[in-house]
Amino acid sequence: MKLSERLLQDNLARWHSWLPHPFTRGIADGTLPRDVFLRWLAQDYRFVSEGRRALAVLLAKAPPEALDELAGTLYAWTAELGLFREAARREGAALDAAPCFVTQAYGDFLLATAHQEPFAVGWAVLYGVERSYHDAWRWARERAAPDTPYRPWLDNWGSEAFGAFVAGLAARLDALAAGLDAATLERLRACFAHTTRLEHLFWEMAWHGEQFPAPG
Ligand code: MP5
């Protein structure tokens, strides 16, 4: 089995924690409470905007054949911020909320792995970030009503085009994996697993609120 699939199999239980999650179910059937949507909007805006710092570090460390892909991803993340601003304008909502601790922890983790780990490990984390969102939003897209107000989001991450982009990340990960020693592979698996933990917590935070988990 290819590493890109093996990683999913190893973390399947957590993957199933957001397929579905009350959030993705609410997106699919249109019952997502407005305050939950707005919380997610502000926190994810922050995640994507700050996440570009980690992408820039990966870009600086990239082998030549990965440069185009990473530069394109950096551009796509930047363009995507327009979706968030447009939605915030429509809703009369602000995007300047302070990061809650999950958003902060996830961003810090992306930046730390990009800086400190071998390139392949940072790439595996990026694959985890994008693959998990693709799977979550595709799940919701396949179940969404035709007139859902969430169409731009469903198409952004759940579309076939985004799936093709994620497949490209997987293919490169599998190519990179061929040259890794056992210790780096071990580290890569651990960092991928941690990415899935943070994804799960991000959905939980969006659903339960910034106080999640409650102190004490
Ligand atoms: C993504 C995201 C996908 N926006 N938010 C979380 C919590 N995980 C993954 O990243 P991008 O930059 O929107 O493609």
Side-chain angles (χ1 to χ4, degrees):
M1 187 186 287
K2 292 177 176 161
L3 179 63
S4 54
E5 289 306 317
R6 176 84 261 155
L7 291 171
L8 255 59
Q9 293 304 316
D10 290 348
N11 293 280
L12 215 50
R14 229 171 267 127
W15 223 261
H16 285 160
S17 71
W18 62 79
L19 293 177
H21 185 274
F23 189 102
T24 45
R25 202 188 288 282
I27 289 282
D29 66 16
T31 60
L32 193 71
R34 184 171 183 272
D35 63 320
V36 171
F37 177 71
L38 294 184
R39 178 163 49 241
W40 168 81
L41 189 74
Q43 293 298 320
D44 212 43
Y45 178 77
R46 177 112 195 173
F47 174 83
V48 176
S49 182
E50 289 294 315
R52 291 178 300 169
R53 299 182 195 280
L55 277 187
V57 174
L58 273 187
L59 188 61
K61 292 169 73 169
E65 63 275 15
L67 280 176
D68 284 357
E69 213 169 350
L70 273 170
T73 304
L74 189 52
Y75 177 81
W77 286 28
T78 303
E80 185 177 273
L81 293 174
L83 269 183
F84 289 82
R85 292 194 196 105
E86 172 61 26
R89 198 162 39 243
R90 247 193 342 265
E91 297 284 345
L95 287 175
D96 58 357
C100 72
F101 87 96
V102 178
T103 312
Q104 183 75 48
Y106 204 168
D108 289 350
F109 173 68
L110 292 187
L111 203 51
T113 49
H115 268 294
Q116 293 167 15
E117 302 290 344
F119 178 77
V121 176
W123 188 269
V125 168
L126 175 62
Y127 169 61
V129 167
E130 302 287 33
R131 176 75 193 251
S132 58
Y133 246 42
H134 176 56
D135 285 5
W137 288 90
R138 191 187 48 190
W139 183 94
R141 190 175 189 248
E142 283 164 359
R143 289 156 182 82
D147 60 346
T148 173
Y150 302 115
R151 181 61 58 195
W153 308 101
L154 294 163
D155 290 348
N156 186 53
W157 292 296
S159 66
E160 291 73 18
F162 198 82
F165 159 68
V166 173
L169 297 179
R172 185 168 307 285
L173 174 65
D174 294 331
L176 287 166
L180 300 182
D181 59 37
T184 307
L185 198 53
E186 182 72 14
R187 193 69 201 131
L188 185 154
R189 285 172 182 271
C191 287
F192 187 90
H194 195 61
T195 308
T196 67
R197 272 185 215 115
L198 287 160
E199 276 298 322
H200 180 203
L201 288 177
F202 202 91
W203 292 120
E204 292 286 288
M205 171 276 295
W207 185 255
H208 291 288
E210 293 171 31
Q211 297 311 312
F212 166 82

